[in-house]
Amino acid sequence: IIYVDVDGVLNIGIRDPGNAPLLFDDSNRSFALGSADPNTCVAGCKESAERLLSVAKRGVGGAEGTYDDLVCSSRHPCTDVLVARLAHIIKSVCQRRCVVLSSNWRHPKYAGRVCELERQISAH
C-alpha cells in the first residue's frame, strides 16, 4: 500500500502567516514578480510576494537546482518532477499494489484534479 498526500508533497506550498498556504505555481510566481514594486502592492501582498520569490531562489539539493525549477502550472497543480518520482515509486513495487490518496484531494470536489494527477502519473 502506498499512501499519497498531494499538497506540499507533489507541489510546493509556502507558509503565509495569517493566510492559507501559497501554492508555488506559475500564476502566483508571475503575480509575485509583478508585485515587487511597493507602489503597486495592496496591503499585505508585498510580504507574500517577497516570501514566494525568496523560495523561488532557494536551492533544492540534488539535480533540481532551485525551487523555481519545481514550479507547477496553475492548470496542473502538481510539479512534474515530483509526480515523476511518485510514478517511479509506484512502478518499483510489485504488481499487487494499492495507491491510497490520503489528502484533501480524495473529496469529490477535487475529482478533476485527481483525474489530472492520474494522467500525469500515466505519462511517466
Side-chain angles (χ1 to χ4, degrees), residues 10-12 23-27 70-74 76-79:
L10 295 179
N11 58 31
I12 298 168
L23 177 62
F24 188 54
D25 66 5
D26 54 4
S27 175
L70 298 176
V71 69
C72 64
S73 163
S74 54
H76 310 294
C78 293
T79 301

Side-chain angles (χ1 to χ4, degrees), residues 61-122:
E64 288 81 24
T66 65
Y67 278 99
D68 199 48
D69 299 322
L70 298 176
V71 69
C72 64
S73 163
S74 54
R75 292 187 335 253
H76 310 294
C78 293
T79 301
D80 192 57
V81 170
L82 303 177
V83 172
R85 289 180 182 176
L86 174 61
H88 176 75
I89 291 168
I90 292 170
K91 287 179 192 176
S92 69
V93 297
C94 69
Q95 292 295 333
R96 295 184 52 175
R97 60 186 166 248
C98 178
V99 179
V100 178
L101 194 58
S102 63
S103 74
N104 286 332
W105 284 34
R106 70 187 184 282
H107 299 297
K109 69 180 182 178
Y110 297 114
R113 288 183 181 182
V114 172
C115 288
E116 177 57 30
L117 176 57
E118 290 170 345
R119 188 200 62 73
Q120 284 183 281
I121 291 170
S122 296

Side-chain angles (χ1 to χ4, degrees), residues 19-78:
N19 299 302
L22 296 167
L23 177 62
F24 188 54
D25 66 5
D26 54 4
S27 175
N28 283 337
R29 180 180 58 186
S30 293
F31 175 80
L33 287 168
S35 298
D37 180 3
N39 297 322
T40 62
C41 262
V42 295
C45 87
K46 184 174 189 266
E47 292 83 11
S48 297
E50 288 173 347
R51 193 172 286 109
L52 201 141
L53 294 175
S54 172
V55 168
K57 295 175 188 174
R58 287 191 188 144
V60 175
E64 288 81 24
T66 65
Y67 278 99
D68 199 48
D69 299 322
L70 298 176
V71 69
C72 64
S73 163
S74 54
R75 292 187 335 253
H76 310 294
C78 293

